[in-house]
Amino acid sequence: MVRKILYILNDNKLTEFKRVRDKRSGWFIYFWQESFDNLPLVLEERRNWVIEKLESRMKYEEQNYFFQCKNGCEGRYVFIEAMDYNFICPVCQQGQLIEDQNEKKVQILKDSIIKLRNQN
Ligand SMILES: [Zn+2]
């Protein structure tokens, strides 16, 4: 378990290791060292990654019309998909697919992006 955690930290640039082969046993010995000085940089990279994902999702929400079943079935469809289903829910085969007003979702995404950008 400790090794697993060390590798996760290493993947995130928070540890470094040196590997030496033990001459007697032939096994590798690992010498680990923390590099937590990289933490601010790692967090900054992670934050930028999340902002990019949120922006991409926001654009997708803004540039598409979405449709959902009037009966509340699972599933959300972009316009072209809803058209392919003749605006009838493919799950229950009865409910009309009506537009999902996504202004609230877009606003939540916008607010989250602003909040993340302003964090320091
Ligand atoms: Zn339905």
Side-chain angles (χ1 to χ4, degrees):
M1 196 196 308
V2 169
R3 187 184 301 178
K4 216 178 204 176
I5 292 168
L6 286 170
Y7 278 124
I8 291 169
L9 289 170
N10 191 257
D11 285 345
N12 289 289
K13 302 173 199 159
L14 295 173
T15 55
E16 294 166 3
F17 68 85
K18 194 167 62 180
R19 193 175 72 163
V20 177
R21 190 184 286 276
D22 184 272
K23 283 180 184 152
R24 281 192 312 162
S25 68
W27 289 57
F28 284 114
I29 300 170
Y30 290 78
F31 296 93
W32 291 88
Q33 190 174 7
E34 55 87 4
S35 46
F36 294 156
D37 289 350
N38 288 340
L39 190 59
L41 182 72
V42 170
L43 290 175
E44 180 64 23
E45 282 174 5
R46 182 61 62 97
R47 181 172 69 158
N48 289 335
W49 180 84
V50 171
I51 289 171
E52 266 176 43
K53 295 285 169 199
L54 290 173
E55 281 176 339
S56 141
R57 183 68 205 191
M58 191 178 76
K59 276 183 195 142
Y60 183 69
E61 288 290 331
E62 284 177 332
Q63 291 169 355
N64 285 287
Y65 290 108
F66 295 92
F67 294 84
Q68 285 182 316
C69 176
K70 200 176 178 178
N71 298 338
C73 295
E74 289 264 332
R76 193 165 177 250
Y77 311 92
V78 291
F79 181 77
I80 193 88
E81 293 169 318
M83 211 167 75
D84 284 347
Y85 293 124
N86 284 323
F87 295 93
I88 300 296
C89 173
V91 178
C92 67
Q93 311 275 329
Q94 294 172 340
Q96 190 185 351
L97 293 178
I98 55 169
E99 193 180 345
D100 170 38
Q101 303 293 331
N102 68 349
E103 288 85 0
K104 261 189 186 167
K105 284 180 185 132
V106 171
Q107 194 55 53
I108 289 169
L109 287 165
K110 265 185 196 163
D111 291 346
S112 302
I113 292 166
I114 289 168
K115 211 184 234 178
L116 280 171
R117 278 191 196 285
N118 291 336
Q119 254 175 25
N120 270 320

